[in-house]
């Protein structure tokens, strides 16, 4: 399968950030994170999903967490200084970010939102996030990703 460059890959190349592209077979639907990890040969704790939320202030926030983890809304709200946070409705995702469900990347959204990556990324040499398209992922060093998206880290997931 020929590697199709996504905007995410172009941004990484433009900023001279080393990355490894991964692609996986899929239908027209998003594949769950555990399956994606298996298909690209990575441990689930190395594969991260991108979640978009809206705070009580109506500001939007992006959280990047391991695929098997669940976002803890209380911890997430605290991490960004909001009273409360809710998941963005899937119908609002594409107009807001430019990405579809299952292909949402913290890199290259229409607008740069405040982004928090779960602190578990600090234990990984590299993490894999969506390349902005279902079926494609990019593997990057967490420090490079944080710098690129001007993100921060915090403990934002439910305990196992």
């Amino acid at each position: 399968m020929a590697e199709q460059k996504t905007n995410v890959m172009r941004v990484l190349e433009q900023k001279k950030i080393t990355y490894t592209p991964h692609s996986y077979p899929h239908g027209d639907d998003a594949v769950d994170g555990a399956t994606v990890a298996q298909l690209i040969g990575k441990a689930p704790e190395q594969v991260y999903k991108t979640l978009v939320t809206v705070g009580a202030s109506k500001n939007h926030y992006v959280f990047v967490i391991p695929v098997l983890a669940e976002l803890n809304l209380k911890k997430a709200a605290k991490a960004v200084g909001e009273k409360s946070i809710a998941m963005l409705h899937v119908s609002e995702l594409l107009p807001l970010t430019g990405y579809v469900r299952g292909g949402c990347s913290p890199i290259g959204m229409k607008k740069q939102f405040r982004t928090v990556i779960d602190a578990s990324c600090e234990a990984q040499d590299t993490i894999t996030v969506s390349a902005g398209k279902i079926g494609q992922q990019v593997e990057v060093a967490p420090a490079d990703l944080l710098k690129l998206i001007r993100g921060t880290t915090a403990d934002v997931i439910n305990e196992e």
Side-chain angles (χ1 to χ4, degrees), residues 52-53 60 88 92-98 109-111 113:
V52 183
T53 63
H60 292 95
L88 186 73
E92 298 173 59
L93 190 63
L94 181 60
L96 183 72
T97 66
M109 287 189 182
K110 284 182 175 181
K111 185 175 170 232
F113 297 106

Side-chain angles (χ1 to χ4, degrees), residues 91-122:
S91 66
E92 298 173 59
L93 190 63
L94 181 60
L96 183 72
T97 66
Y99 291 128
V100 297
R101 180 178 176 268
C104 190
S105 177
I107 304 164
M109 287 189 182
K110 284 182 175 181
K111 185 175 170 232
Q112 179 76 51
F113 297 106
R114 183 157 169 206
T115 303
V116 177
I117 302 179
D118 185 66
S120 62
C121 74
E122 294 163 353

Side-chain angles (χ1 to χ4, degrees), residues 129-150:
V129 297
S130 174
K133 190 175 177 190
I134 296 173
Q136 296 196 287
Q137 298 268 308
V138 288
E139 183 178 344
V140 294
D144 289 344
L145 179 60
L146 283 162
K147 189 174 164 193
L148 174 67
I149 61 175
R150 296 193 298 281

Side-chain angles (χ1 to χ4, degrees), residues 57-86:
S57 67
K58 301 287 183 240
N59 285 326
H60 292 95
Y61 303 95
V62 176
F63 293 92
V64 183
I65 67 171
V67 292
L68 298 181
E70 238 176 67
L71 184 66
N72 180 308
L73 295 174
K74 279 190 170 59
K75 288 181 182 178
K78 188 177 175 201
V80 294
E82 282 280 357
K83 202 180 329 186
S84 65
I85 256 182

